[in-house]
């Protein structure tokens, strides 16, 4: 592992145990789970056991688990299902959603759907505006559980309550979709107790392999598949199942949940240590995420900082030259113009702050000395860079 | 060795008198350079160049070489035979039965050039006879002498040469016939087009790019290298100089007024381009500037940056609209790379309100007072060179 890897929200290193599971399961189960011969049946049985494991670990029924290629695909499956509705729907989403949700706005609008976005000042959904934005024809609500850039956690239980009350008044079901990709291991999660209809996860965010994920679906009825074919994954996601990756994902999930209590505690300590180290340098670095002791709902593992007066991309390069992997906004949108600045606009930060924002994210393997080195280098480089451009 | 014959039509070169040989020799060198992995032989005749290429040479390779070489007005794969009407008829039948001749064609005509005036039939007679021959062998075709879908060209020279509708070449003059220039290449749409335009007038060029890491990314540099590679075939080879520009930009940022930053940066780039040009025996600097496109391209701004250059500055796009530039950029294949989202100038160095109508005298004074020459020399000394 790179010693100064602070981009865990983009992706995590795959755990050794997950790697072992991957290797052993692909060696053992070589058949296609849809095949009729013994090799196929063994694979199907193994897959069924894996689904039970996933269900057990997430506290939901195995029948509610659909394996996908990741949260982006899962979000796509849920959102494009709206295109098949007979009458155009109205969709409500938070303004700080990931691009894999936000970027459906145009497609949905082209098909007659109305998409409303609700601001999330400082990373928290404006619940009053949210409630007012619910329409009589609202059919879907999309809210991210843990924000991938700010680390803020939405009160999904409360949001669901608002939606269900509205639903009762208007008599039309509203699908609540939660992008929960950053939640595993970062906050305690009881998926089954949340009154939501779907949620998405990616294995590579919790030390599992890339290219595999979970779509939790409470009921399958209103969901249309993106890919059609062999009818795998209860007809929601056709294509031969990636058995090795699914098994490895479960190993990583088990490992993450088993150690979460202690690692979260450690994470809070590391975050506090980091915040204290940079606090005296407020003229250079400003915390954009809520502080760990602010009482706000956050995960300790993700935070956004503003490096005053310096474009985030430039500072990210400088930090990399010093051996630190950090991110300017969200890695998934780093290939597109704007580069994740949309989240900051959605969270009501000024364009100046947004263009100078960097994201620091760490994980259970990050040490105190890593955090100290990071804080020290951030301060040192921010100081150096700002003096270089100061007029003489 | 079996060979395939290609006929190249020359345009402006044919009009040259005393130094036509020089232009033809450069054109031959440029084509030979592009076909260097394959054996080839050249033969010149007035207004024509005949190239025999070993038959194993991929046709696309030859087409790519000829369609990007300035001086070529048109080219075509040609057939040859003895100056005998029976032989000529046979070849005409063969060419007109090819799929490339017939596909999508309803009408045709035959055009004859009778350079050998001793040939018994005149050009009209040859065209008529061959037209009849094709009408008989391809009865679905009709003759249309005004707007034909296909033209069969026949040239009676030392032998008879026959070829169908030729591919258009890029025209212009062979690169290397008009001296050398230093092209200021950015990652944008305009400067590659400027390079293309000057190459078309025969100017051999080298290019300079200013890289300000970490304020601009390595992806921006890679983008410019890709652009230079795309431009290289038109320039018959291009050497790219990547100048480290960070110290210069920081000095400008800290020693000049914010609204002057861009013009000071342009002035420094112009100085460095001049220094490199002298080192590399170039007699001009080329930029992609277009009048009033941005603040640094107003007449007053151009007058200032122009005054910094000791060498003539060519601005082939000065009177072109952006959409005309984009059109050329698409045509030469640089557009898709130019629009990649890697900026070649960091926002930190871009003033919110740049000077639009600067006073040349005042700005020149401010430029001198910055005391930046030693940094420019240092940057030139650290230049990275890519031969593309």
């Amino acid at each position: 592992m790179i010693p100064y890897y602070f981009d865990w929200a983009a992706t995590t290193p795959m755990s050794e145990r997950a790697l072992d599971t991957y290797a052993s399961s692909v060696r053992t189960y070589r058949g296609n789970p849809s095949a009729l011969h013994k090799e196929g049946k063994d694979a199907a049985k193994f897959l069924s056991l894996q689904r039970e494991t996933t269900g057990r670990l997430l506290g939901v029924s195995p029948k509610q688990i659909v394996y996908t290629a990741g949260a982006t695909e899962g979000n796509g499956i849920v959102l494009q299902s709206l295109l098949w509705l007979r009458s155009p729907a109205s969709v409500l989403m938070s303004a700080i959603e990931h691009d894999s949700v936000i970027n459906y706005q145009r497609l949905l609008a082209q098909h007659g759907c109305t998409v409303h976005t609700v601001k999330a000042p400082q990373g928290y959904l404006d619940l009053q505006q949210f409630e007012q934005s619910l329409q009589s024809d609202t059919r879907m609500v999309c809210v991210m559980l843990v924000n991938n850039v700010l680390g803020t956690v939405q009160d999904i239980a409360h949001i669901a309550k608002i939606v269900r009350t509205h639903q009762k008044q208007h008599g039309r079901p509203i699908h609540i979709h939660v992008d929960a990709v950053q939640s595993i291991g970062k906050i305690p999660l009881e998926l089954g107790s949340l009154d939501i209809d779907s949620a998405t996860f990616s294995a590579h965010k919790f030390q599992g392999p890339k290219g595999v994920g979970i779509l939790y679906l409470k009921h399958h009825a209103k969901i249309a598949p993106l890919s059609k074919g062999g009818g795998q994954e209860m007809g929601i996601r056709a294509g031969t199942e990636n058995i090795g990756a699914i098994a490895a994902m479960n190993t990583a999930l088990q490992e993450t949940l088993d150690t979460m209590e202690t690692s979260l505690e450690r994470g809070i300590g590391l975050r506090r240590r980091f915040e204290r180290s940079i606090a005296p340098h407020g003229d250079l670095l400003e915390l954009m995420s809520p502080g760990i002791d602010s009482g706000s709902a956050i995960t300790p593992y993700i935070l956004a900082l503003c490096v005053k007066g310096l474009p985030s991309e430039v500072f990210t390069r400088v930090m990399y030259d010093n051996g630190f992997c950090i991110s300017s906004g969200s890695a998934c949108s780093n290939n597109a113009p704007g580069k994740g600045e949309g989240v900051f606009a959605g969270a009501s930060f000024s364009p100046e702050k947004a263009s100078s924002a960097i994201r620091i994210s760490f994980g259970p393997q990050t040490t105190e000395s890593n955090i100290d080195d990071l804080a020290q280098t951030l301060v040192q480089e921010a100081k150096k860079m700002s003096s270089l451009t100061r007029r003489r | 060795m079996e060979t395939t014959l290609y006929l190249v039509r020359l345009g402006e070169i044919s009009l040259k008198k005393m130094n036509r040989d020089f232009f033809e020799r450069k054109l031959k060198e440029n084509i030979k350079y592009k076909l260097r992995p394959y054996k080839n032989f050249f033969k010149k005749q007035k207004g024509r160049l005949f190239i025999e290429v070993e038959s194993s040479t991929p046709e696309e390779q030859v087409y790519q070489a000829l369609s990007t070489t300035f001086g070529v007005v048109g080219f075509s794969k040609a057939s040859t035979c003895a100056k005998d009407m029976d032989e000529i008829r046979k070849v005409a039948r063969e060419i007109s039965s090819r799929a490339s001749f017939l596909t999508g064609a309803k009408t045709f005509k035959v055009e004859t050039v009778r350079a050998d005036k001793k040939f018994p039939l005149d050009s009209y007679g040859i065209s008529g006879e061959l037209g009849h021959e094709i009408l008989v062998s391809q009865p679905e075709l009709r003759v249309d002498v005004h707007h034909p879908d296909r033209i069969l060209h026949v040239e009676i020279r030392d032998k008879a040469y026959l070829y169908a509708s030729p591919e258009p070449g890029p025209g212009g003059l062979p690169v290397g016939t008009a001296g050398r220039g230093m092209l200021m290449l950015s990652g944008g749409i305009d400067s590659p087009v400027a390079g293309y335009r000057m190459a078309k007038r025969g100017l051999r060029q080298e290019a300079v790019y200013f890289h300000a890491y970490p304020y601009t990314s390595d992806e921006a540099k890679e983008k410019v290298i890709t652009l230079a590679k795309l431009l290289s075939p038109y320039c018959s080879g291009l050497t790219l100089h990547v100048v480290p520009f960070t110290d210069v930009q920081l000095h400008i940022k800290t020693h000049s007024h914010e609204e002057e930053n861009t013009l000071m940066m342009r002035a420094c780039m112009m100085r460095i381009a001049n220094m490199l040009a002298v080192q590399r025996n170039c007699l001009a600097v080329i930029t992609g500037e277009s009048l009033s496109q941005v603040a640094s391209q107003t007449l007053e701004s151009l007058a200032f940056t122009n005054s910094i250059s000791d060498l003539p500055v060519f601005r082939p796009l000065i009177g072109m609209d952006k959409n005309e530039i984009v059109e050329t950029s698409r045509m030469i294949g640089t557009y898709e790379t130019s629009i990649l989202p890697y900026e070649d100038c960091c926002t930190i160095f871009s003033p919110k309100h740049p000077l639009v109508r600067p006073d040349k005298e005042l700005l020149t004074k401010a430029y001198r007072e910055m005391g930046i020459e030693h940094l420019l020399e240092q940057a030139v000394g650290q230049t990275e060179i890519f031969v593309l």
Side-chain angles (χ1 to χ4, degrees):
Chain A
M1 186 61 201
I2 307 155
Y4 294 128
Y5 186 73
F6 286 96
D7 206 10
W8 285 64
T11 196
T12 60
M14 200 167 156
S15 85
E16 286 301 321
R17 283 183 57 197
L19 259 171
D20 290 344
T21 304
Y22 182 83
S24 64
S25 52
V26 293
R27 278 195 193 107
T28 313
Y29 300 100
R30 291 175 296 185
N32 185 326
S34 302
L36 295 177
H37 47 67
K38 188 176 178 303
E39 291 276 298
K41 283 178 183 169
D42 286 350
K45 207 168 167 186
F46 181 69
L47 181 64
S48 160
L49 285 173
Q50 291 305 320
R51 206 180 300 279
E52 276 173 29
T53 306
T54 311
R56 177 176 53 78
L57 290 171
L58 291 178
V60 296
S61 159
K63 288 179 187 163
Q64 295 172 324
I65 299 295
V66 175
Y67 291 123
T68 63
T72 292
E73 188 188 48
N75 292 337
I77 291 173
V78 172
L79 280 153
Q80 63 81 39
S81 293
L82 290 167
L83 304 177
W84 301 97
L85 294 177
R86 275 190 203 144
S87 54
S90 177
V91 186
L92 196 56
M93 52 178 74
S94 87
I96 57 167
E97 292 300 296
H98 186 259
D99 282 349
S100 61
V101 171
I102 286 279
N103 286 351
Y104 271 89
Q105 281 187 74
R106 204 167 146 196
L107 181 70
L108 292 171
Q110 278 170 354
H111 285 77
C113 296
T114 319
V115 184
H116 298 282
T117 52
V118 179
K119 287 257 182 191
Q122 314 305 309
Y124 295 101
L125 192 68
D126 181 336
L127 293 176
Q128 203 180 343
Q129 199 204 331
F130 176 77
E131 195 169 356
Q132 284 165 3
S133 303
L134 284 165
Q135 310 286 318
S136 56
D137 64 342
T138 301
R139 299 291 297 275
M140 187 177 283
V141 162
C142 298
V143 181
M144 191 183 228
L145 180 50
V146 178
N147 185 262
N148 59 321
V149 180
L150 295 160
T152 50
V153 181
Q154 304 304 326
D155 186 352
I156 297 293
H158 187 55
I159 290 167
K161 208 170 157 188
I162 295 173
V163 174
R164 297 305 176 217
T165 309
H166 178 88
Q167 185 179 303
K168 264 184 209 158
Q169 285 164 3
H170 292 85
R172 294 186 78 177
I174 300 176
H175 184 113
I176 304 177
H177 176 65
V178 173
D179 176 351
V181 76
Q182 296 289 354
S183 63
I184 302 285
K186 294 192 182 84
I187 55 162
L189 173 68
E190 286 178 41
L191 190 58
S193 66
L194 289 176
D195 186 11
I196 60 171
D197 298 283
S198 58
T200 45
F201 305 89
S202 285
H204 74 106
K205 304 287 190 192
F206 51 87
Q207 299 201 260
K210 291 168 182 65
V212 65
I214 301 160
L215 167 63
Y216 158 72
L217 279 180
K218 199 169 189 178
H219 310 289
H220 294 180
K222 296 284 163 61
I223 294 298
L226 267 180
S227 56
K228 294 178 174 56
Q232 291 93 339
E233 295 304 305
M234 294 152 268
I236 301 293
R237 202 253 184 187
T240 303
E241 297 87 344
N242 190 354
I243 287 185
I246 289 167
M249 171 167 68
N250 276 339
T251 302
L253 184 59
Q254 176 89 61
E255 244 184 323
T256 305
L257 296 178
D258 285 352
T259 55
M260 190 175 70
E261 206 172 315
T262 48
S263 62
L264 251 181
E265 213 167 293
R266 226 180 118 260
I268 292 169
L270 291 176
R271 169 77 174 258
R272 191 171 286 128
R273 192 179 179 93
F274 177 77
E275 286 183 13
R276 282 181 186 160
S277 303
I278 61 156
H281 306 282
D283 54 328
L284 301 166
L285 303 166
E286 187 187 328
L287 199 61
M288 294 170 85
S289 303
I292 193 72
D293 296 316
S294 64
S296 308
I298 53 165
T299 173
Y301 292 116
I302 303 173
L303 68 122
L305 274 181
C306 168
V307 189
K308 289 182 181 171
L310 283 173
S312 52
E313 269 191 44
V314 173
F315 199 70
T316 306
R317 272 178 224 130
V318 170
M319 286 302 288
Y320 183 72
D321 290 345
N322 279 278
F324 292 84
C325 293
I326 59 168
S327 163
S328 56
S330 158
C332 297
S333 55
N334 269 0
N335 298 324
K339 299 177 177 64
E341 285 176 20
V343 170
F344 295 108
S348 304
F349 287 105
S350 68
E352 288 74 31
K353 271 195 180 174
S355 65
S356 297
I358 55 165
R359 178 183 68 183
I360 311 282
S361 52
F362 57 99
Q365 285 150 38
T366 309
T367 64
E368 282 188 354
S369 89
N370 290 160
I371 287 284
D372 292 346
D373 290 346
L374 171 72
Q376 194 190 341
T377 312
L378 278 172
V379 171
Q380 171 197 308
E381 290 304 320
K383 206 177 274 179
K384 198 164 94 189
M385 298 287 287
S386 79
S387 75
L388 281 176
T389 51
R390 202 169 301 134
R391 189 167 150 70
R392 287 166 204 156
Chain B
M1 184 184 69
E2 272 195 46
T3 58
T4 306
L5 181 72
Y6 290 87
L7 180 145
V8 174
R9 295 202 300 177
L10 313 176
E12 201 175 328
I13 297 176
S14 318
L15 305 174
K16 303 283 177 196
K17 287 186 178 169
M18 302 295 278
N19 50 7
R20 194 170 74 211
D21 265 2
F22 166 68
F23 284 88
E24 286 179 347
R25 199 172 59 244
K26 280 286 175 198
L27 177 64
K28 183 179 153 185
E29 279 171 19
N30 292 345
I31 298 173
K32 265 197 170 296
Y33 175 75
K34 289 178 186 173
L35 293 176
R36 62 193 179 282
Y38 309 99
K39 277 193 181 152
N40 53 67
F41 311 96
F42 281 64
K43 194 165 74 178
K44 285 186 294 181
Q45 287 205 17
K46 196 179 180 326
R48 297 284 184 269
L49 202 57
F50 294 97
I51 311 171
E52 280 187 77
V53 188
E54 62 175 308
S55 296
S56 59
T57 313
E59 206 170 307
E60 315 84 73
Q61 193 98 16
V62 182
Y63 274 57
Q64 167 71 10
L66 296 176
S67 63
T68 57
T69 304
F70 289 117
V72 173
V73 165
F75 60 94
S76 184
K77 206 169 156 179
S79 299
T80 176
C81 65
K83 286 187 279 187
D84 171 82
M85 272 318 284
D86 285 341
E87 289 286 319
I88 294 171
R89 273 192 212 99
K90 204 170 124 193
V91 177
R93 265 201 313 273
E94 193 270 315
I95 291 177
S96 62
S97 63
R98 286 179 195 162
S100 58
F101 191 87
L102 292 172
T103 310
K106 287 183 179 158
T107 57
F108 78 100
K109 83 182 237 191
V110 179
E111 260 185 25
T112 305
V113 174
R114 183 167 151 268
D116 176 4
K117 300 297 178 200
K118 288 179 188 156
F119 193 75
L121 268 176
D122 65 8
S123 55
Y124 185 79
I126 298 168
S127 295
E129 281 216 19
L130 296 181
H132 174 72
E133 191 69 32
I134 294 171
L135 281 174
V136 171
S137 62
Q138 306 295 339
E140 68 278 17
L141 290 178
R142 290 280 167 273
V143 171
D144 181 345
V145 292
H146 299 295
H147 306 289
D149 296 329
R150 296 284 180 275
I151 303 176
L152 177 72
H153 294 267
V154 182
E155 297 190 8
I156 309 294
R157 296 172 179 273
D158 56 331
K159 288 186 268 188
Y161 296 89
L162 289 90
Y163 57 96
S165 301
E167 297 284 329
L173 293 171
V175 168
T177 57
R180 300 170 76 88
M182 183 61 69
L183 168 69
M184 289 167 70
L185 188 65
S186 73
I189 294 169
D190 302 352
S191 52
V193 175
Y196 169 84
R197 291 239 156 238
M198 292 318 299
K200 190 166 186 173
R201 295 312 298 163
L203 191 70
R204 188 171 289 288
Q205 292 165 93
E206 301 203 2
V208 54
Y209 167 66
F210 301 92
H211 188 42
Y213 188 87
Y215 297 95
T216 52
S217 65
D218 280 335
E219 285 87 346
K221 177 174 144 187
E222 288 305 318
K223 175 179 160 182
V224 173
I225 294 172
T226 307
L227 283 173
K229 276 184 192 161
L230 291 168
L231 199 57
S232 176
Y234 295 104
C235 298
S236 291
L238 190 63
T239 299
L240 174 68
H241 304 263
V242 177
V243 177
F245 203 57
T246 313
D247 291 345
V248 174
Q249 283 220 305
L250 286 171
H251 190 88
I252 295 169
K253 174 88 181 162
T254 52
H255 289 80
S256 76
H257 293 286
E258 193 193 341
E259 67 275 13
E260 294 170 353
N261 281 178
T262 309
L263 283 171
M264 290 301 176
M265 183 186 79
R266 292 295 298 170
C268 290
M269 287 176 171
M270 190 60 89
R271 279 301 307 150
I272 290 178
N274 266 255
M275 290 176 190
L276 281 171
V278 171
Q279 272 184 16
R280 307 289 296 184
N281 295 322
C282 298
L283 295 179
V285 172
I286 301 102
T287 78
E289 288 157 321
S290 165
L291 191 62
S292 300
Q293 195 186 85
V294 289
S296 66
Q297 294 175 19
T298 61
L299 187 55
E300 289 84 349
S301 300
L302 292 177
F304 165 64
T305 45
N306 213 60
S307 70
I308 298 291
S309 178
D310 298 329
L311 299 172
V313 181
F314 293 156
R315 297 180 175 90
L317 313 186
I318 198 72
M320 287 175 80
D321 283 351
K322 192 73 186 183
N323 53 2
E324 292 173 306
I325 300 169
V326 166
E327 203 177 303
T328 311
S329 170
R330 284 187 196 278
M331 192 260 291
I332 64 175
T334 52
Y335 181 75
E336 294 303 326
T337 305
S338 290
I339 60 169
L340 289 174
Y342 305 119
E343 298 297 327
D344 57 7
C345 183
C346 179
T347 49
I348 211 166
F349 301 117
S350 311
K352 272 186 191 153
H353 304 290
L355 278 184
V356 179
R357 308 212 178 282
D359 181 313
K360 195 172 102 180
E361 306 305 321
L362 283 178
L363 219 55
T364 309
K365 189 168 169 278
Y367 174 77
R368 290 206 182 107
E369 282 171 357
M370 271 200 311
I372 204 166
E373 282 295 316
H374 70 288
L375 285 178
L376 305 186
E377 279 163 20
Q378 189 182 303
V380 169
Q382 292 166 353
T383 298
E384 209 180 341
I385 296 177
F386 298 86
V387 180
L388 306 167

